Amino acid sequence: MSKNKILETKSLTGGYGKLTIVFDVDLVIHQGEIVSIIGPNGSGKSTLVKLIAGVATIHKGEIIFAGRDITRIPPEKRTLLGLGYLPQVNNIFADLSVEENLEMGGYGLDHGELLSRLEMIYNLFPDLKIRRRQRAGTLSGGERQMLALARVLMKDPSLIILDEPSAGLAPKIVEKIFSSIKSIREMGKTIILVEQHAKKSLEISDRGVVMSSGRIVLEGEPSKLLSSEDLRLAFLGKK
């Protein structure tokens, strides 16, 4: 696995408006790895990735992506630079068909590139090809999440941030989502994965980052984190 840095945050602090949720986060993500960000509810996981994606308020610090300072760059321009973000909710257009959703995800691509990306998506998610004419709002929860993930992939991002992709899904569908995430990494993508399924996400990750009260409190190899008493204490909110 390459050790080239694709993303770095320096003393990143922010939240929503004047409310600070995340404090002084220093984080490095290397090309080609899956990094899980885990922690108890309210620990700041989702806020951290929203800061990186540009949809929360940065109070101080820096974000360096692919060697470029993107701290003050709006979210749509971060997407053009190769940073893909899958929010937990409101991530599909329910009234459009599956294929129309994918075409929206690939907005701006020329026709040939669009067709090529659609073919790639349908190979990765064959169920979406079967349902490509179906209205997205009629899909099951798992199919909706696969469609949302596929929409992000249409722009061929180099780094993909996934915020709770398995939230609210049945166990069998969760397995399918995690399998898809591994397949996406095999395509050469770098993935930041925010998850409540801590054990499952660590099992497919190269590294784990544990947050508590808006700060990173632990970081390391998944095997070490999974056997760590400190991880249990972090989830219980004790020090």
Side-chain angles (χ1 to χ4, degrees):
M1 183 179 67
S2 168
K3 280 296 179 182
N4 292 332
K5 277 191 291 193
I6 189 169
L7 180 85
E8 183 175 12
T9 71
K10 301 176 182 179
S11 300
L12 188 61
T13 299
Y16 308 99
K18 293 181 179 179
L19 179 66
T20 304
I21 305 290
V22 169
F23 302 88
D24 295 310
V25 167
D26 294 322
L27 178 67
V28 173
I29 307 293
H30 296 108
Q31 229 166 354
E33 67 178 351
I34 299 177
V35 176
S36 280
I37 300 178
I38 60 174
N41 287 332
S43 60
K45 306 183 300 294
S46 289
T47 303
L48 173 59
V49 294
K50 285 176 181 175
L51 290 169
I52 295 169
V55 294
T57 307
I58 295 172
H59 296 159
K60 69 166 188 168
E62 294 177 67
I63 304 169
I64 311 298
F65 174 61
R68 178 173 179 173
D69 187 338
I70 63 166
T71 311
R72 304 300 167 197
I73 290 178
E76 62 275 12
K77 290 192 177 176
R78 297 184 195 199
T79 301
L80 294 174
L81 292 171
L83 197 160
Y85 169 58
L86 176 63
Q88 188 176 344
V89 295
N90 300 324
N91 51 26
I92 63 164
F93 297 102
D95 291 334
L96 300 181
S97 71
V98 166
E99 192 153 290
E100 285 168 339
N101 266 273
L102 295 173
E103 288 169 349
M104 289 288 286
Y107 180 79
L109 298 175
D110 66 47
H111 185 65
E113 204 170 6
L114 181 66
L115 292 178
S116 174
R117 298 273 171 85
L118 284 171
E119 184 180 2
M120 178 270 290
I121 290 299
Y122 289 146
N123 286 334
L124 186 62
F125 300 105
D127 288 352
L128 294 182
K129 184 174 185 179
I130 295 168
R131 290 165 174 74
R132 64 188 183 277
R133 305 296 178 212
Q134 190 172 326
R135 193 168 66 86
T138 65
L139 298 175
S140 69
E143 289 164 346
R144 284 186 185 210
Q145 201 63 334
M146 285 179 194
L147 175 57
L149 186 49
R151 282 188 68 240
V152 174
L153 285 171
M154 285 295 292
K155 274 289 197 320
D156 195 26
S158 51
L159 170 65
I160 303 171
I161 298 170
L162 305 177
D163 189 1
E164 303 274 11
S166 68
L169 300 179
K172 191 178 286 188
I173 305 301
V174 171
E175 294 292 343
K176 212 167 181 179
I177 293 290
F178 276 88
S179 176
S180 298
I181 292 169
K182 287 194 288 184
S183 298
I184 291 165
R185 197 270 286 278
E186 286 164 10
M187 295 162 58
K189 307 298 182 187
T190 306
I191 299 168
I192 298 175
L193 176 59
V194 172
E195 262 297 339
Q196 278 297 316
H197 288 94
K199 185 171 184 292
K200 281 187 179 298
S201 62
L202 286 172
E203 284 170 351
I204 67 164
S205 297
D206 300 289
R207 283 191 298 127
V209 171
V210 185
M211 292 191 70
S212 181
S213 302
R215 301 178 189 272
I216 292 177
V217 294
L218 280 174
E219 190 172 352
E221 294 176 11
S223 58
K224 290 180 180 175
L225 289 179
L226 285 167
S227 61
S228 169
E229 176 69 8
D230 289 338
L231 176 62
R232 189 182 71 81
L233 291 174
F235 269 92
L236 290 172
K238 298 175 183 176
K239 292 296 288 179

